[in-house]
C-alpha cells in the first residue's frame, strides 16, 4: 500500500491576515507559516492507515520553493516515510497543481491520494477533485470517517455534506479529501523535528515530470473586505428585544 | 462567457433556492459577454424541477435523468456535465457554492482542463475581458482575478447574487441523450444520514440563531438556540466547537470550512468570534452577540451586543418575544 499526501505551506490559522496597502499580496513579515491544517489531518490519516495495515509507504509531497521544505520536515517528523519537493516557480493555481500531481501519480502509482479538502490561504477546495477528474480516479471529498474494507481494496467513507453525513464505498486507487473531524493530528516533538532534519528530501521539477506549470487564474490585486461599523452595547434583554421588535435596523 | 451553463442543484428532486443565485450570475455573465446561458438539471426529478426555472431567460433547460444519476456521486455527475458542456460548446460553467458543487465542479474542471474560481462574489469586466472577485484567507481578503482559457468554471456565493426577476419568455426543455456514456463505477452510494428538521436551512433563512461553546449540552442547544430560532421563525447554526463536541450536526457549522450565510439577522449565542467563524457570517445585515465576556472578539463585528450569561439572557429573550 502506497499513500501519497500532497501538503501545502500556508500562514498559520492563528495569524491575523492583513492585505498590503498596495494590494499586491498579504503582509508576510512576522507571519508564522505552518502545514495547512487539513493536510496535517490527511497525513495523520495516512499514518494511521499504515499503523493499522502494518505495512504501507507514506509519501508527503509539496509544490513550492525552498521555504516549503520546512513543512516537509514537519511531515517527516509526524512519520512520513518519504518527502518530496517539486520545485515550482511562483504561485500556482489549483489546475496547475493538479496537473503536476497527476504526473506524479502516474510515476509513483499510489493506491490512495489523501489530501486536505482545502488550503486555508486561497480557500479554493479544488485540487483533489481536479486530480480525480484528470486521472479518472474515484473520489470522496470532505471525508470525516474512513474505514478499510476487509478486501483491502476498497474503503468506506463518511462525507460531510450540507444535508448531513453521506456514506460512500470507494474502490482503490482513489482520491480522498479530508475534513476537520477525520482525526486529530499528532503532536510533533522538537526532537522529532531535529531528527527529521537529517532525513533526505527528494526533489523533482515539473519538467522532469513532463508537465509545464502554467496557471489559468491570475490574481490582479487583493483588497481588504469592508469593515463593519462599531455597534452598540445594550444593557438588558428588554432593550435587546425592543431593538429586535423595532426591526433591529431591518427593513 | 458567450455560452454559459448553470448547474442547477436539486435535493431529492426539489430545486434548491441557491440555484436562482447561479441563474442571476449567469444572466450577468451573458449580458457582459453578449452571449446566452442554459441550465442543466441532473438526477431524479430533474424534469419536474425544471418547471421552476422556465421563465428566467435561459436559452434552454437540459434535463439529465438516468439510473446512473440516482445519487449525486461526483464521478458520474461529472461525466454527464462534461458531456453536456462539450456538446453545447459551453465556455463558462457555474453553480452556487455548496458541498454539492464543490464536490462536482472542480472534477468537471479537471475533465475539461479548465481553470476554476471558488466563492466568486462579483462578475465584472474591463477592456481585456471578464474579471472576477472572490473571497479568500477566511474572508480577510478579496481578490480581483482573471480566469483564462477556452473554458472557465466558477462557484459563487449565493448571497452575492440576488435572484433575477421572472421574464415573459419560456425556455424550451430538452432531454439530454446520455446513451453511450461510459459511467465510472469506482464509487457507490451506501447511505445518507439526513438531519430532518422542521427549521429552514441556515443558508436560506432570513434569521439565523447560532450557538457556540457557551452552550453546554444538546438539550441546552435545543432549548436555548432552537427555542430562540423558533420564537423568531429562523434557522439554527453553530460554531465548529459545538460540532466537534458532538452537540450539533456538522451540517449546522457556519464558517470558513462550514456554511457561509448572509441573513438579515444573525444572533451569536456564546460564540467567541474566531476569524474562521466570522468568515461564515460577516455579510449579515444585523449581527447580535450575546456573550458573558465583554472582550470577546464577536463584539467587534456585532451591531448589537449584550454582555450576559446566555443561560439567563436567552430564556428571558424567548419569553419576552413570545409575550407580544
Ligand atoms: C482550519 C480551521 C478551520 C476552522 N473552521 C471553522 C468554521 O468553519 N467555523 C467555526 O465556527 N470555527 C472554525 N474553526 C474553529 C475556530 O477557530 C474556533 O475554535 C471556534 O469557532 C470556536 O468556537 P466557539 O466560539 O463556540 O468557542 P470558544 O472560542 O470556546 O468560545 C466560547 C465563547 O462562549 C462564551 N461563553 C461561555 N459560557 C458562556 C455563558 N454561559 N454565557 C455567555 N457566554 C458564554 C465565552 O466567553 C467564549 O467567548 C476553524 C479552525 C481552524 C484551525
Amino acid at each position: 500500500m502506497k499513500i501519497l499526501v500532497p501538503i501545502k505551506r500556508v500562514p498559520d490559522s492563528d495569524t491575523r491576515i492583513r492585505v498590503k496597502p498596495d494590494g499586491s499580496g498579504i503582509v508576510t513579515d512576522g507571519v508564522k507559516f505552518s502545514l495547512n491544517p487539513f493536510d496535517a489531518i490527511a497525513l495523520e490519516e495516512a499514518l494511521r492507515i499504515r499503523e493499522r495495515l502494518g505495512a504501507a509507504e507514506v509519501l508527503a509531497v509539496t509544490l513550492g520553493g525552498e521555504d516549503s521544505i520546512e513543512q516537509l520536515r514537519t511531515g517527516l517528523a509526524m512519520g512520513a516515510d518519504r518527502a518530496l519537493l517539486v520545485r515550482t516557480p511562483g504561485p500556482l493555481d489549483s489546475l496547475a497543481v493538479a496537473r503536476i500531481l497527476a504526473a506524479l501519480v502516474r510515476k509513483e502509482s499510489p493506491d490512495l491520494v489523501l489530501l486536505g479538502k482545502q488550503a486555508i490561504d486561497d480557500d479554493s477546495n479544488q485540487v483533489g477533485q481536479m486530480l480525480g477528474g484528470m486521472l479518472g480516479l474515484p473520489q470522496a471529498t470532505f471525508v470525516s470517517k474512513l474505514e478499510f474494507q476487509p478486501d483491502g481494496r476498497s474503503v468506506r467513507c463518511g462525507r460531510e455534506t450540507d444535508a448531513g453525513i453521506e456514506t460512500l464505498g470507494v474502490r482503490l486507487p482513489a482520491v480522498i479529501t479530508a475534513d476537520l473531524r477525520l482525526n486529530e493530528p499528532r503532536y510533533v516533538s522538537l526532537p522529532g523535528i531535529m531528527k527529521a532534519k537529517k532525513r533526505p528530501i527528494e526533489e523533482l521539477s515539473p519538467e522532469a515530470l513532463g508537465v509545464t506549470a502554467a496557471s489559468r487564474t491570475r490574481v490582479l490585486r487583493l483588497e481588504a473586505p469592508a469593515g463593519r461599523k462599531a455597534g452598540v452595547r445594550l444593557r438588558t434583554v428588554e432593550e435587546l428585544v425592543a431593538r429586535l421588535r423595532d426591526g433591529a435596523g431591518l427593513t | 462567457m458567450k455560452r454559459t451553463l448553470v448547474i442547477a442543484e436539486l435535493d431529492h428532486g426539489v430545486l434548491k433556492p441557491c440555484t436562482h443565485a447561479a441563474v442571476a450570475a449567469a444572466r450577468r455573465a451573458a449580458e457582459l459577454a453578449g452571449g446566452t446561458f442554459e441550465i442543466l438539471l441532473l438526477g431524479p426529478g430533474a424534469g419536474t424541477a425544471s418547471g421552476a426555472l422556465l421563465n428566467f431567460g435561459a436559452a434552454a433547460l437540459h434535463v439529465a435523468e438516468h439510473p446512473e444519476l440516482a445519487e449525486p456521486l461526483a464521478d458520474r455527475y461529472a461525466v454527464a456535465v462534461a458531456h453536456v458542456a462539450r456538446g453545447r460548446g459551453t465556455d463558462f460553467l457555474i453553480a452556487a457554492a455548496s458541498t454539492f458543487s464543490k464536490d462536482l465542479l472542480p472534477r468537471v474542471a479537471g475533465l475539461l482542463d479548465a481553470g476554476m474560481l471558488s466563492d466568486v462574489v462579483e462578475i465584472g469586466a474591463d477592456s481585456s475581458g471578464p474579471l472576477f472577485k472572490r473571497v479568500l484567507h477566511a474572508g480577510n481578503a478579496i481578490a480581483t482575478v482573471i480566469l483564462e482559457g477556452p473554458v472557465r468554471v466558477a462557484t459563487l456565493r449565493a448571497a452575492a447574487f440576488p435572484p433575477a426577476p421572472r421574464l415573459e419568455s419560456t425556455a424550451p426543455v430538452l432531454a439530454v441523450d446520455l446513451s453511450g456514456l461510459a459511467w465510472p463505477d469506482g464509487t457507490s452510494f451506501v447511505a445518507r444520514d439526513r438531519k430532518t428538521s422542521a427549521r429552514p436551512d441556515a443558508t436560506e433563512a432570513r434569521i439565523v440563531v447560532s450557538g457556540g461553546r457557551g452552550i453546554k449540552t444538546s438539550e441546552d442547544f435545543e432549548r436555548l438556540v432552537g427555542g430562540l430560532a423558533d420564537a423568531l421563525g429562523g434557522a439554527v447554526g453553530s460554531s465548529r466547537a459545538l460540532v466537534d463536541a458532538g452537540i450539533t450536526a456538522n451540517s449546522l457549522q457556519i464558517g470558513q470550512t462550514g456554511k457561509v450565510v448572509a441573513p438579515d439577522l444573525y444572533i451569536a449565542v456564546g460564540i467567541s468570534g474566531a476569524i474562521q467563524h466570522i468568515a461564515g457570517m460577516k455579510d449579515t445585515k444585523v449581527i447580535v452577540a450575546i456573550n458573558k465576556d465583554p472582550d470577546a472578539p464577536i463584539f467587534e463585528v456585532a451591531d448589537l451586543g449584550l454582555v450576559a450569561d446566555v443561560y439567563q439572557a436567552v430564556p428571558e429573550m424567548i419569553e419576552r418575544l413570545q409575550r407580544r
Side-chain angles (χ1 to χ4, degrees):
Chain A
M1 172 78 45
K2 189 194 268 191
I3 308 173
L4 180 72
V5 185
I7 61 175
K8 186 179 186 186
R9 172 185 171 85
V10 298
D12 191 88
S13 60
D14 284 338
T15 50
R16 217 189 178 100
I17 299 294
R18 280 173 304 129
V19 174
K20 283 186 192 159
D22 68 357
S24 63
I26 58 158
V27 177
T28 51
D29 288 347
V31 168
K32 183 186 165 207
F33 280 79
S34 299
L35 179 54
N36 178 44
F38 292 95
D39 304 350
I41 293 167
L43 181 54
E44 174 66 35
E45 196 63 21
L47 299 173
R48 291 187 189 184
I49 292 171
R50 187 184 64 191
E51 281 153 19
R52 250 175 280 149
L53 297 183
E57 181 181 58
V58 176
L59 167 58
V61 56
T62 194
L63 280 56
E66 199 67 27
D67 49 8
S68 298
I69 290 179
E70 188 188 339
Q71 279 61 50
L72 285 176
R73 300 244 181 252
T74 306
L76 286 171
M78 280 177 72
D81 298 291
R82 292 166 57 200
L84 169 67
L85 170 69
V86 181
R87 265 192 206 270
T88 53
L92 298 176
D93 69 2
S94 309
L95 190 75
V97 169
R99 268 204 209 116
I100 294 171
L101 289 176
L104 186 66
V105 169
R106 289 194 186 99
K107 177 170 180 286
E108 292 281 343
S109 311
D111 302 277
L112 181 59
V113 186
L114 251 170
L115 311 86
K117 76 161 181 181
Q118 90 193 58
I120 61 161
D121 53 358
D122 64 31
D123 279 337
S124 284
N125 193 333
Q126 297 172 359
V127 171
Q129 298 90 309
M130 284 179 169
L131 185 62
M134 285 174 184
L135 295 168
L137 288 178
Q139 101 183 20
T141 51
F142 327 144
V143 167
S144 59
K145 195 165 183 206
L146 195 161
E147 277 171 1
F148 264 78
Q149 296 299 92
D151 66 2
R153 297 311 306 159
S154 60
V155 291
R156 191 160 270 208
C157 296
R159 306 180 54 228
E160 299 205 350
T161 74
D162 289 343
I165 305 286
E166 178 185 278
T167 308
L168 295 185
V170 182
R171 194 177 62 216
L172 301 182
V175 176
I176 291 178
T177 76
D179 214 318
L180 288 171
R181 277 168 285 276
L182 182 56
N183 61 51
E184 224 169 281
R186 65 197 63 192
Y187 173 75
V188 180
S189 67
L190 201 59
I193 298 259
M194 297 311 287
K195 269 222 307 265
K197 285 218 162 94
K198 298 195 191 88
R199 304 263 303 277
I201 303 279
E202 298 168 41
E203 274 200 36
L204 271 178
S205 65
E207 294 70 43
L209 287 164
V211 271
T212 43
S215 293
R216 291 222 150 124
T217 63
R218 199 147 47 84
V219 176
L220 294 184
R221 59 182 173 274
L222 290 187
E223 61 198 287
R228 290 189 71 96
K229 278 202 312 280
V232 292
R233 294 274 171 112
L234 307 171
R235 280 164 320 174
T236 63
V237 171
E238 194 178 351
E239 266 182 82
L240 176 55
V241 170
R243 294 291 290 255
L244 292 179
R245 280 249 167 83
D246 281 354
L250 305 179
T251 45
Chain B
M1 307 198 300
K2 288 234 181 280
R3 296 183 70 93
T4 298
L5 183 66
V6 175
I7 312 303
E9 182 166 346
L10 271 61
D11 184 8
H12 286 76
V14 180
L15 188 75
K16 297 252 280 182
C18 63
T19 302
H20 287 286
V23 169
R27 222 146 113 173
R28 165 103 182 112
E31 244 167 56
L32 280 170
T36 57
F37 75 93
E38 304 180 321
I39 305 173
L40 171 60
L41 300 99
L42 303 118
T48 316
S50 68
L53 292 170
L54 292 172
N55 305 108
F56 290 92
L61 305 186
H62 300 280
V63 170
E65 292 188 20
H66 193 280
E68 293 283 346
L69 301 176
E71 292 292 339
L73 300 177
D75 305 18
R76 291 177 209 171
Y77 271 48
V79 165
V81 173
H83 171 72
V84 173
R86 288 196 185 103
R88 302 302 302 169
T90 299
D91 59 6
F92 188 39
L93 264 116
I94 56 172
S98 65
T99 53
F100 167 74
S101 64
K102 288 180 175 189
D103 186 36
L104 174 62
L105 260 61
R107 188 168 176 104
V108 174
L111 288 175
L112 300 175
D113 194 27
M116 172 166 177
L117 299 175
S118 302
D119 293 302
V120 167
V121 291
E122 207 179 299
I123 302 176
D126 71 0
S127 52
S128 62
L131 287 180
F132 301 86
K133 284 195 180 183
R134 63 172 298 261
V135 181
L136 65 169
H137 285 293
N140 287 304
I142 297 167
T144 303
V145 197
I146 297 180
L147 184 53
E148 285 157 345
V151 184
R152 300 173 168 95
V153 180
T155 59
L156 40 100
R157 292 245 171 119
F161 296 90
R166 279 175 175 276
L167 302 172
E168 288 286 316
S169 60
T170 301
V173 180
L174 311 169
V176 179
D177 180 8
L178 296 166
S179 58
L181 281 191
W183 298 101
D185 62 354
T187 57
S188 52
F189 177 81
V190 178
R192 178 169 294 109
D193 172 18
R194 282 183 89 69
K195 294 281 169 275
T196 44
S197 168
R199 298 188 186 110
D201 188 283
T203 56
E204 289 157 14
R206 283 186 52 237
I207 297 175
V208 177
V209 182
S210 210
R213 197 147 26 206
I215 307 284
K216 300 295 168 234
T217 66
S218 320
E219 294 71 44
D220 294 349
F221 182 86
E222 185 47 39
R223 182 169 56 89
L224 301 176
V225 179
L228 186 53
D230 292 345
L232 292 162
V236 294
S238 104
S239 74
R240 174 185 165 191
L242 284 198
V243 184
D244 285 355
I247 292 173
T248 52
N250 77 286
S251 51
L252 294 192
Q253 182 174 314
I254 309 286
Q256 179 186 20
T257 52
K259 289 180 179 173
V260 176
V261 300
D264 292 340
L265 175 65
Y266 187 93
I267 306 185
V269 178
I271 291 177
S272 64
I275 45 169
Q276 292 89 358
H277 186 80
I278 298 205
M281 45 66 93
K282 74 178 155 80
D283 292 328
T284 299
K285 285 209 191 88
V286 176
I287 297 175
V288 175
I290 308 170
N291 195 305
K292 67 178 180 189
D293 173 8
D295 298 322
I298 189 77
F299 288 122
E300 289 164 29
V301 297
D303 301 283
L304 300 173
L306 180 69
V307 178
D309 186 322
V310 295
Y311 280 83
Q312 269 143 32
V314 175
E316 186 187 338
M317 265 182 95
I318 296 171
E319 201 245 325
R320 284 183 181 274
L321 283 165
Q322 283 167 343
R323 226 185 266 167
R324 298 245 162 211

